[in-house]
Amino acid sequence: MSKLYGVGVGPGDPDLMTVKALNAIKKSKVICFAGKSEDTSIAFNIAKKAMPEINKKKKVCIDFPMTKNQYVLEGSHSKISSQIKQLLKEGDVALLTLGDPGIYATYSYIAQRLRADDIKVVTIPGITSFSAAAAKLGIPLTLADEELHVIPSSYSFEEAFSLKGTLVLMKSGKSYESLVSYIRENKPHCDVYMVENCGMENERLFVGASNLPETSGYFTTIIVRGLK
């Protein structure tokens, strides 16, 4: 019986892909990835740099809509699941996911549907953007009894700042200006770090709330340490 591999390719640097991820790609007959084309798919291009021979395999672009409309999402997830079922008739399928498949990834919705239909699904973890960002910055995410909180800041974020420890704010691009303004006004005592496009060619790092740029892109992770 064919398997679906949910493959985490990491945040951007192809050297951060795991051996298990590369082996799953080798086993798979079909490689699926989000995007309109191979050239525009970030996850595919990360994998291609780590394993150029991926180009010899059948490649399928999948349209994952960028919306919060639940009706649209349900229809999309159903359509994608059916598409992957058809591809599984050809052999194992690898669905590439940026970062880790378990962190805010559409993959999880697809995997849940396929498992319900008794299809074998294997999830292969990838290095998260915030783990890679902390390593790049040379800082710990937590020490001793500090807590770690991961927040999707494209939704609301204000309540999260009442938590203690370290706050990781993912997908900060859409709410970037209001988020930075809030941090500067309300948490001046905290240590603030930002990484944009972690591990990619256009990566940018900033330390200190006052040094953050006025604008930023979608793949922006902000780390706030010292919340009390």
Side-chain angles (χ1 to χ4, degrees):
M1 186 176 183
S2 298
K3 301 183 185 70
L4 171 68
Y5 291 100
V7 179
V9 301
D13 183 349
D15 287 344
L16 293 180
M17 282 189 66
T18 65
V19 172
K20 193 167 187 176
L22 295 173
N23 285 339
I25 292 172
K26 287 179 183 177
K27 294 175 187 175
S28 298
K29 295 289 186 182
V30 183
I31 310 299
C32 296
F33 45 87
K36 302 293 184 183
S37 68
E38 296 175 23
D39 291 338
T40 60
S41 172
I42 296 174
F44 176 76
N45 281 284
I46 292 170
K48 184 171 71 171
K49 289 176 182 177
M51 183 185 289
E53 56 268 36
I54 196 173
N55 270 326
K56 298 178 182 178
K57 294 180 177 288
K58 178 175 179 177
K59 302 176 288 293
V60 178
C61 301
I62 295 182
D63 184 17
F64 289 96
M66 300 293 286
T67 178
K68 296 177 184 177
N69 184 306
Q70 290 301 311
Y71 178 79
V72 173
L73 288 173
E74 281 290 325
S76 173
H77 296 162
S78 178
K79 181 180 178 180
I80 293 168
S81 298
S82 296
Q83 183 180 6
I84 290 176
K85 283 182 190 177
Q86 289 299 313
L87 294 171
L88 284 165
K89 293 179 181 179
E90 303 178 33
D92 291 345
V93 174
L95 177 55
L96 308 183
T97 301
L98 193 61
D100 180 85
I103 305 292
Y104 302 120
T106 302
Y107 157 79
S108 294
Y109 298 105
I110 308 305
Q112 184 179 38
R113 286 174 177 268
L114 295 179
R115 285 193 180 104
D117 290 336
D118 294 324
I119 292 172
K120 178 69 173 178
V121 178
V122 179
T123 302
I124 298 174
I127 293 175
T128 65
S129 60
F130 54 88
S131 294
K136 182 75 69 169
L137 290 160
I139 62 169
L141 286 168
T142 56
L143 291 170
D145 62 347
E146 292 175 343
E147 299 174 358
L148 175 65
H149 309 277
V150 182
I151 307 297
S153 60
S154 54
Y155 294 80
S156 60
F157 57 79
E158 289 84 357
E159 288 187 10
F161 282 90
S162 64
L163 299 168
K164 297 179 180 180
T166 299
L167 198 61
V168 171
L169 297 137
M170 297 186 65
K171 302 181 179 180
S172 298
K174 289 184 178 180
S175 59
Y176 179 78
E177 292 181 13
S178 58
L179 175 57
V180 170
S181 177
Y182 182 91
I183 293 172
R184 286 172 175 167
E185 291 177 14
N186 298 279
K187 300 295 176 180
H189 64 282
C190 292
D191 295 324
V192 181
Y193 308 87
M194 176 189 134
V195 178
E196 180 183 28
N197 301 320
C198 184
M200 303 178 193
E201 292 180 0
N202 54 346
E203 175 186 85
R204 296 198 298 168
L205 286 73
F206 300 89
V207 177
S210 61
N211 294 320
L212 300 183
E214 294 306 312
T215 60
S216 186
Y218 178 76
F219 294 112
T220 294
T221 299
I222 293 178
I223 301 172
V224 181
R225 286 185 46 77
L227 290 170
K228 301 176 180 179

